[in-house]
Amino acid sequence: MKKICFISDSFLWEEKIRPVLHRAISHVIEQNDAVEFWFHTLREPFLQEAVIAIPEIRKSFPEKQVAVVAVVDPLRKMELGRTDDQMLHTNGFQENSVDRVEYAPLFDGKCEKNATHFIQHFYKVNQWMYRQCDEVIAYFYDNLPTSLSKCESSILMGKSRLPYQHIYLPETRALIDSQIAQLSEKEKYFMQKMNQGVSCAALAREFGISYNRVLQYATRAKRRICGYIPKD
C-alpha cells in the first residue's frame, strides 16, 4: 500500500498547474496496485483540486485500489463536539469525497493546553500525517523563499524528509527570478540570500534588526511577486 500526501505553497494557485497535478496523481496510481491519498484539511486550492481529481482519475484504473483518506484531529473533534461527517465538512471535504477516516493521535503537549497555540497543534497533526506517508506530491517554487511552513520544509528538506514529486511550471520559476531582480536592493538581497539557504536569523544578525523584521521584508516581497503570477 502506497500512501501519498500533498504539500503546497498556500499563496499559490495556477490553473496551468492543474494538468501537471493530474499527471502526477495518475503516475502514482499507474505505478502502484494500491494507493491511499491522505489529507488533513483542504485549506489550499491545490489540495482541493487533488481531492476533486482523484475520483475521476481512478476511473481510468479500475483494476487498482485507490482511496482518499481524511485525517481527523480527535482533540479538535472533542472541542467542537462534532461527528466525523461534521468534521469532514468543517475541514473542507465535500459529501462522499472521502473513502476512509484516520484519527490522528490525541496529543497532550504544551500547545494543546493553550487555546492560543492552535496553529502549532495544527502543524503537529500535519507532521504526524506526513510521517505516515511514503511520498509527497509538492507544489512550490524553490526560488520563492518562505513559500512553505517550517513543518512542510522539514518534511521536504530536513533530516526526516520524504521522497517527493516536485511539480511546478518552469515559466513561472523564470518569472519569479525576473521579479526578484526588480525588487528594492534590500528586499532583493534578502530574497537572494534566503534562496542560497541563509536563514532569517542570520540575516537579522547581519543587519542588526529583528528576525520578524527580516521575515516581514521577505513576506512583503513574496506577496508582490505572487501578484505577477498568472492564476488563469
Side-chain angles (χ1 to χ4, degrees), residues 94-183:
Q94 297 297 316
E95 188 175 0
N96 299 321
S97 63
V98 172
D99 298 295
R100 184 169 68 82
V101 168
E102 182 81 21
Y103 283 98
L106 189 59
F107 294 112
D108 186 26
K110 289 183 178 179
C111 63
E112 283 73 36
K113 294 178 173 62
N114 190 329
T116 63
H117 291 178
F118 170 74
I119 295 299
Q120 290 92 323
H121 171 74
F122 175 85
Y123 284 131
K124 188 183 290 189
V125 174
N126 268 7
Q127 196 161 42
W128 174 84
M129 178 185 70
Y130 298 144
R131 289 197 301 267
Q132 310 314 302
C133 293
D134 304 300
E135 190 175 317
V136 182
I137 296 175
Y139 168 46
F140 68 100
Y141 289 94
D142 56 7
N143 59 342
L144 194 60
T146 72
S147 63
L148 299 171
S149 73
K150 288 183 180 179
C151 169
E152 292 160 343
S153 294
S154 70
I155 294 300
L156 298 183
M157 289 87 172
K159 292 180 180 178
S160 59
R161 62 185 173 188
L162 284 171
Y164 67 94
Q165 290 189 60
H166 182 193
I167 69 172
Y168 64 97
L169 301 177
E171 61 268 30
T172 298
R173 194 182 189 285
L175 174 65
I176 291 168
D177 280 339
S178 69
Q179 290 301 317
I180 289 175
Q182 297 178 48
L183 295 171

Side-chain angles (χ1 to χ4, degrees), residues 44-66:
E44 291 87 10
F46 182 71
L47 304 184
Q48 296 166 10
E49 177 58 30
V51 167
I52 292 170
I54 291 165
E56 290 301 313
I57 293 171
R58 69 182 169 190
K59 290 177 183 177
S60 301
F61 302 92
E63 75 284 5
K64 307 284 188 175
Q65 297 179 38
V66 180

